[in-house]
Amino acid sequence: MTAIPRREKLAALFRQAVVIPVLTIERLEHAVPLAKALVAGDVRVLEVTLRTPVAVDAAKAIIAEVPDAVVGIGTILNGDDLSRARELGAVFGISPGATPELLQAAAASNLPFAPGVATASELMAALAAGFDLVKFFPAEQAGGIRAIRALAGPFPNARFCPTGGIGEANAASWLAEPNVLCVGGSWLCPPAEIRAGNWAGITAMCERAMKSLKPRDR
Ligand code: 3PG
């Protein structure tokens, strides 16, 4: 059997995901109930960001206790973060940026990985390192849909997961772009709802989003 190249694996995962929530977990005890709430709302592909002291333990807990979640690690800033993501059993890694050091480490690793880009030059560096599926960040602030349309001209093979400023109101417009595989964002897990333990509210929000946003062939 031929192994599926990691970039195709990542593309299939992102396409199927439609929406990837960006999780910033402040308290370890929130990790598992939050992941369960998202999965119950049919949102299974999760980005657990390395932004808080409990992030690594939170990701470990979700991987161990929520088998239906597909856990990726976000806010990967360097090769050490990438190694950490691989060691803890993440399915993929994702970064807001693309330094030469990170691109080199990611190219040498077998972890499916999406670097972050906001400009043509950053995209060229990512493509040169072998990454044609990238996070477009910060999507709204870096030019929005008009910017991603403009990038489609010189880079017809690039595929994007836009993140930053995306929410219920504009997710469908982004997903209608042919070079967008999925969208990311924190809007499905608002800090106030997490702090309040409003897991049912988070599930309801996810169900609503997934009903209105369908995966497309692209
Ligand atoms: C990210 O890291 O992808 C962003 O923090 C998500 O942006 P948002 O909070 O505007 O959705």
Side-chain angles (χ1 to χ4, degrees):
M1 200 176 86
T2 323
I4 305 171
R6 65 185 171 152
R7 51 194 265 270
E8 284 171 32
K9 246 199 258 181
L10 190 65
L13 198 67
F14 277 19
R15 195 178 292 118
Q16 196 55 40
V18 187
V19 178
I20 301 183
V22 175
L23 277 58
T24 299
I25 298 173
E26 293 168 343
R27 298 172 65 99
L28 187 52
E29 63 266 32
H30 291 156
V32 168
L34 173 60
K36 284 185 175 166
L38 293 162
V39 167
D42 206 23
V43 171
R44 295 189 330 118
V45 180
L46 316 180
E47 174 187 338
V48 179
T49 61
L50 295 179
R51 290 186 200 172
T52 63
V54 302
V56 168
D57 287 336
K60 277 188 194 156
I62 296 170
I63 290 169
E65 294 177 47
V66 193
D68 287 339
V70 178
V71 178
I73 296 297
T75 318
I76 289 185
L77 302 183
N78 51 46
D80 287 347
D81 290 344
L82 196 73
S83 306
R84 199 166 301 129
R86 229 192 35 215
E87 282 158 19
L88 60 84
V91 177
F92 64 94
I94 188 160
S95 176
T99 64
E101 183 249 343
L102 178 57
L103 287 173
Q104 202 179 4
S109 152
N110 56 11
L111 185 73
F113 178 72
V117 309
T119 66
S121 294
E122 289 160 6
L123 181 54
M124 285 161 69
L127 291 168
F131 299 97
D132 56 8
L133 170 49
V134 298
K135 168 164 168 157
F136 179 51
F137 177 80
E140 281 290 332
Q141 299 85 342
I145 289 177
R146 290 193 327 148
I148 221 161
R149 276 187 197 153
L151 289 170
F155 307 108
N157 297 326
R159 296 288 174 269
F160 298 91
C161 168
T163 308
I166 299 181
E168 202 166 334
N170 58 357
S173 308
W174 279 98
L175 286 163
E177 294 301 306
N179 54 358
V180 169
L181 290 194
C182 63
V183 294
S186 61
W187 88 95
L188 290 174
C189 31
E193 303 303 323
I194 296 175
R195 284 186 206 120
N198 184 9
W199 312 126
I202 288 175
T203 297
M205 211 161 35
C206 292
E207 281 171 348
R208 204 168 55 231
M210 294 310 276
K211 256 185 219 141
S212 63
L213 309 170
K214 299 263 185 285
R216 284 180 28 181
D217 284 342
R218 48 184 119 216

